[in-house]
Amino acid sequence: MAESREILDLKNVKEVVDRAAKIWGDKTALIFDETKQQFSFKEVKHKIKQFAAMLKELGIKEEDKVALMLPNVPEFPFTWLATGLLGATTVPLNYRYQKFDASYVLKHSESKLVITTAEKVDMLHQIRLEDHVDFKIITTDEVNDRADFFLDDVLNNVKDSFASTAKTYPETLMNIQYTSGTTGKPKGCMLSQKYWINIAEKIADPALIGIREDDVLLTSQPFYYMDPQWNTMAALVNGATLVVLDRFSPSVFWEKIREYKVTFFYVLGNMPVLLLKMPKSEKDKKHHVRFIGCSAIPPHLHKEIEERWGVPWYEVFGMTETGYDISMRVDEHDKYVGTGALGRPATDREVRIVDENGNVVPRGEVGEMVFRGKGMMDGYYKNPEATNEVFRNGWFHTGDLAYMDEDGVLFYVGRVKDMIRRSGENIAAAEVEEVIMLHDSVQLAACTPVEDEIRGEEVKAHIVPKEKVSEQMAYIRTLIDHCEKNLASFKVPRYWEIRDSLPMTPSERIAKHRLKEEKLAYYDRVEDKWLE
């Protein structure tokens, strides 16, 4: 039985790392599948202190921002935890970001250092020159003349072993985690050290997930997202082993599960659908998995998924801003398979369903889901207006529609937000629209979601050119090329529609609901053909 979080009550990264090394010592803590590197709990502590010493020698101090633009390599968690020892703050950068995306985050966060790979240096150096953003660059994989340092060289030249003089507390800022908002630029969620520890302590509750020291966890999402980070903290707090895949690949996913004797993993978005599409195998039920957490399990496939692999799949709901909020209880799982139920609030989370005026709606009626409780973000970085707006009346407003039944179980309905969710990625329509309208030929642009069986939703761009377009195909390809140079690949619209005008509301806002009703011919860039 795992220790309860009330007994643990760990306060900062230093306590977590010291305790893990003392209790579990030579036991394997982290395994990186791509490079076959393994680190014991003692080695993790040594690496974190080494990286902290390196950062300190480079002049990084309390409250400084260190950006990480890395794939799933050990340097990510080691630097992340090292900044925690220093009382500094990590700014994870999506590895697929291009100049437009990355420049805003680096400028807004005031990052002093970017740790990345050689392939990203030219783009980052261009940001320094053209956008006048001041930061140093360290490469992790090979030397690049435009970078300021090479990681191995800096680590080898560290003169002193790390001795922290920084005072860190539960409230010490550990991450500025940028997440796409419903309007405007991405917002930086301020996440404290206790935010991460709270998640790790909470999932040790046997009524929820019950992570134990004999568990082997697996993560396949990119480290710059939430999931590998909380998985890392969960391993350190609970003595479990974490296996890190370089990416999610449905064709080999269960093979890796069996290879490492994984007992727990979490997936989201289109992952369960993609896994179900893989050819069936006599090995499907030959594994050690006891618990699968998943966000947005397709209700009509829930029973089929469980029957195929012979293990329960539990719904889990959380947000960057709030952490781990809702999940299906172990003892209630069977009752709700295939119903689309989210489950019940976590032990430290209170949930209500409210109308547009903040009034609680009757049980069974749909409204906005709002939260309050411990372990949430401390607000949006340098954005008090957005912070006050989302924390109205002492409740965090999720922007998600749901209802609560008579027994207190929550059911997800949809979104209030103008967001598009593609393959588990949140895409702010406003951000894509802004990039499209940066092109001189565009008068107006609007982006809407299109349902997709595999990816959940795809992005459709509705374009009003400044002048009449004679060669529509060539024009659209020009805009696609423009987007690919300025946006992460997953944000580039799949569908493109050229229009004379966009429908407007009386308040002169684009009436996006009417765009879905008005059927015009549009181009599918994936299939390279026009559709009616």
Side-chain angles (χ1 to χ4, degrees):
M1 184 72 68
E3 296 173 276
S4 70
R5 62 184 178 86
E6 288 80 13
I7 294 174
L8 293 179
D9 195 25
L10 297 163
K11 295 178 175 59
N12 54 34
V13 169
K14 184 179 185 305
E15 286 189 11
V16 170
V17 172
D18 287 347
R19 174 179 174 272
K22 180 179 179 181
I23 296 175
W24 296 293
D26 294 327
K27 183 188 174 190
T28 301
L30 297 176
I31 300 173
F32 289 82
D33 174 69
E34 180 75 2
T35 61
K36 304 304 179 187
Q37 293 169 281
Q38 298 191 17
F39 302 91
S40 69
F41 285 91
K42 281 183 180 178
E43 289 170 333
V44 168
K45 177 180 178 179
H46 171 74
K47 283 289 187 180
I48 294 168
K49 292 182 68 175
Q50 183 186 25
F51 274 63
M54 178 265 294
L55 292 172
K56 188 175 181 180
E57 196 154 300
L58 290 174
I60 299 299
K61 56 186 183 301
E62 294 174 57
E63 300 183 6
D64 281 345
K65 316 301 186 298
V66 177
L68 299 181
M69 194 174 196
L70 293 167
N72 283 7
V73 292
E75 289 83 0
F76 194 113
F78 293 157
T79 306
W80 176 54
L81 294 163
T83 62
L85 289 186
L86 286 171
T89 303
T90 294
V91 180
L93 281 174
N94 191 314
Y95 195 69
R96 292 185 287 175
Y97 271 178
Q98 297 299 324
K99 182 174 179 292
F100 181 88
D101 317 85
S103 178
Y104 172 75
V105 172
L106 290 170
K107 184 180 294 185
H108 186 262
S109 65
E110 301 175 282
S111 295
K112 292 190 173 183
L113 180 69
V114 181
I115 301 179
T116 189
T117 59
E119 73 166 311
K120 298 296 181 183
V121 171
D122 286 349
M123 182 265 290
L124 291 167
H125 186 62
Q126 188 180 11
I127 290 173
R128 292 198 291 195
L129 293 179
E130 296 181 5
D131 298 345
H132 308 292
V133 187
D134 185 22
F135 55 84
K136 300 294 185 183
I137 301 173
I138 296 180
T139 55
T140 59
D141 53 344
E142 59 185 64
V143 175
N144 185 298
D145 291 340
R146 290 185 169 179
D148 300 281
F149 309 100
F150 177 51
L151 182 65
D152 285 353
D153 292 341
V154 182
L155 288 173
N156 290 335
N157 289 328
V158 171
K159 297 181 179 64
D160 301 315
S161 60
F162 179 72
S164 177
T165 56
K167 292 184 177 180
T168 58
Y169 305 97
E171 66 271 21
T172 298
L173 183 63
M174 188 165 178
N175 284 54
I176 301 178
Q177 192 84 24
Y178 282 83
T179 182
S180 294
T182 57
T183 58
K185 303 288 188 180
K187 299 181 182 70
C189 301
M190 296 189 290
L191 311 179
S192 68
Q193 297 201 11
K194 189 61 179 180
Y195 169 98
W196 297 103
I197 296 168
N198 183 63
I199 296 174
E201 292 176 338
K202 196 156 43 175
I203 62 177
D205 185 343
L208 303 176
I209 297 173
I211 294 295
R212 309 183 298 253
E213 62 181 52
D214 59 344
D215 275 319
V216 178
L217 319 182
L218 180 139
T219 186
S220 59
Q221 289 93 299
F223 241 110
Y224 43 81
Y225 290 140
M226 301 291 295
D227 305 320
Q229 295 178 65
W230 68 252
N231 269 276
T232 300
M233 191 63 76
L236 292 173
V237 168
N238 299 295
T241 298
L242 174 63
V243 178
V244 181
L245 303 185
D246 64 319
R247 61 189 176 87
F248 174 74
S249 173
S251 61
V252 300
F253 187 81
W254 278 98
E255 181 183 316
K256 296 298 180 182
I257 295 291
R258 287 187 285 270
E259 177 184 345
Y260 292 107
K261 298 182 179 179
V262 171
T263 61
F264 165 91
F265 65 84
Y266 167 80
V267 292
L268 75 168
N270 63 326
M271 292 181 180
V273 177
L274 292 174
L275 289 171
L276 201 58
K277 287 181 177 291
M278 292 296 102
K280 291 185 178 180
S281 167
E282 60 181 15
K283 297 180 180 178
D284 279 344
K285 293 182 180 179
K286 295 179 180 179
H287 55 74
H288 294 77
V289 179
R290 66 174 183 85
F291 190 104
I292 299 171
C294 181
S295 292
I297 302 172
H300 66 292
L301 297 176
H302 196 164
K303 185 177 180 181
E304 182 182 354
I305 290 170
E306 295 198 348
E307 288 178 347
R308 175 161 174 180
W309 287 288
V311 64
W313 287 56
Y314 295 85
E315 188 73 41
V316 180
F317 181 94
M319 302 177 68
T320 303
E321 289 90 338
T322 56
Y324 168 31
D325 303 301
I326 303 167
S327 65
M328 183 56 62
R329 296 294 192 268
V330 172
D331 61 354
E332 293 185 313
H333 164 270
D334 294 351
K335 179 180 178 181
Y336 290 100
V337 170
T339 65
L342 296 178
R344 298 182 186 276
T347 51
D348 58 3
R349 189 70 71 244
E350 188 177 354
V351 180
R352 286 184 180 175
I353 308 298
V354 301
D355 62 21
E356 58 185 12
N357 296 314
N359 301 312
V360 177
V361 303
R363 293 285 174 103
E365 288 192 14
V366 174
E368 183 177 6
M369 191 160 51
V370 297
F371 301 153
R372 69 180 177 189
K374 63 182 289 189
M376 295 188 183
M377 72 168 184
D378 294 320
Y380 294 116
Y381 184 60
K382 295 197 294 190
N383 198 338
E385 296 82 7
T387 300
N388 292 335
E389 173 64 20
V390 78
F391 279 109
R392 299 191 300 278
N393 303 317
W395 292 83
F396 178 86
H397 286 64
T398 65
D400 290 307
L401 297 172
Y403 68 90
M404 185 182 294
D405 70 8
E406 290 293 331
D407 297 323
V409 175
L410 291 145
F411 292 77
Y412 182 79
V413 174
R415 291 195 306 272
V416 177
K417 300 178 179 181
D418 186 13
M419 294 282 287
I420 302 166
R421 188 166 179 83
R422 181 185 184 276
S423 295
E425 302 276 3
N426 285 323
I427 303 170
E431 184 183 17
V432 182
E433 291 160 359
E434 180 182 357
V435 169
I436 294 172
M437 287 191 286
L438 287 175
H439 198 278
D440 293 338
S441 68
V442 177
Q443 178 70 38
L444 202 58
C447 291
T448 59
V450 175
E451 290 185 8
D452 184 88
E453 181 183 358
I454 299 298
R455 296 174 180 83
E457 291 177 339
E458 287 278 10
V459 183
K460 184 176 184 180
H462 309 261
I463 308 298
V464 178
K466 288 182 179 178
E467 298 177 359
K468 187 174 179 60
V469 175
S470 56
E471 295 293 330
Q472 290 195 350
M473 192 69 262
Y475 179 69
I476 288 173
R477 285 175 177 155
T478 298
L479 295 182
I480 291 172
D481 182 65
H482 167 71
C483 287
E484 289 177 339
K485 290 177 180 177
N486 288 283
L487 288 169
S489 59
F490 65 86
K491 299 179 184 178
V492 179
R494 172 173 177 170
Y495 303 114
W496 295 79
E497 181 184 88
I498 298 177
R499 306 172 59 95
D500 294 328
S501 63
L502 295 178
M504 309 296 285
T505 67
S507 59
E508 290 303 304
R509 295 180 182 273
I510 298 172
K512 291 190 175 182
H513 63 285
R514 288 174 55 192
L515 287 172
K516 298 179 182 180
E517 300 167 358
E518 299 173 7
K519 304 297 183 183
L520 299 177
Y522 58 97
Y523 174 69
D524 180 344
R525 72 178 178 93
V526 175
E527 298 292 335
D528 191 23
K529 64 181 181 182
W530 288 88
L531 304 172
E532 295 293 336

